[in-house]
Amino acid sequence: MRNILTALVVLTLLSACVTPVDISRYQKAGIAQMRGNRAFVPDPAFSQPAHFKISPQEVASSFGHLCQADYNCTYFADQDAYYLLQNFGAVPSLFVSSHAVAIVDGRTGTLLKPPAKP
């Protein structure tokens, strides 16, 4: 009984620390349906920063394969980079960048964060 109470207290404390993903500083650049043809669909509301040399379509073409399995891959951008998020919304995360499968520099098109090794 004591172990159960301890576990409940720990879970309560941990759940108090978890916050929803804050995407207020990010724009949604598009989404790729990973089933079927994996086509990238740009978000019509996306406004690419003027200093970006690479478009979301180019990011999808070069790095979309990093999103694997039957997940959707949502592309976000801020003023520095593109963030590829696999199955966005299904896995809680404190930061978009910590949940990103890959992060691509918008100025150069360079992969800044390679995907984690399985």
Side-chain angles (χ1 to χ4, degrees), residues 83-104:
Y83 303 83
L84 284 66
L85 279 74
Q86 192 164 277
N87 209 21
F88 177 71
V91 180
S93 176
L94 296 176
F95 303 101
V96 166
S97 59
S98 69
H99 187 58
V101 172
I103 300 174
V104 179

Side-chain angles (χ1 to χ4, degrees), residues 1 5 11 15 20 27-28 37 41 47 49 52 55-57 59 67 72 75-76 84 91 96 102 104 106 114 116:
M1 181 68 162
L5 289 175
L11 286 174
S15 66
Q27 292 186 70
K28 185 176 176 183
N37 65 2
V41 178
S47 176
F52 275 27
S55 71
Q57 290 88 342
V59 172
C67 290
N72 292 333
Y75 293 67
F76 287 97
L84 284 66
V91 180
V96 166
V104 179

Side-chain angles (χ1 to χ4, degrees), residues 13-106:
L13 290 173
L14 288 175
S15 66
C17 297
V18 175
T19 58
V21 176
D22 176 18
I23 61 168
S24 61
R25 62 171 249 199
Y26 301 90
Q27 292 186 70
K28 185 176 176 183
I31 189 166
Q33 299 288 334
M34 300 316 287
R35 294 185 190 109
N37 65 2
R38 298 179 180 237
F40 176 76
V41 178
D43 190 304
F46 178 66
S47 176
Q48 181 174 317
H51 60 278
F52 275 27
K53 302 292 186 237
I54 185 169
S55 71
Q57 290 88 342
E58 292 171 304
V59 172
S61 176
S62 297
F63 301 104
H65 67 279
L66 297 176
C67 290
Q68 298 177 7
D70 287 333
Y71 296 102
N72 292 333
C73 192
T74 306
Y75 293 67
F76 287 97
D78 60 12
Q79 291 299 308
D80 299 313
Y82 290 101
Y83 303 83
L84 284 66
L85 279 74
Q86 192 164 277
N87 209 21
F88 177 71
V91 180
S93 176
L94 296 176
F95 303 101
V96 166
S97 59
S98 69
H99 187 58
V101 172
I103 300 174
V104 179
D105 187 314

Side-chain angles (χ1 to χ4, degrees), residues 1-13:
M1 181 68 162
R2 185 177 189 150
N3 288 341
I4 293 173
L5 289 175
T6 302
L8 287 174
V9 168
V10 169
L11 286 174
T12 302
L13 290 173

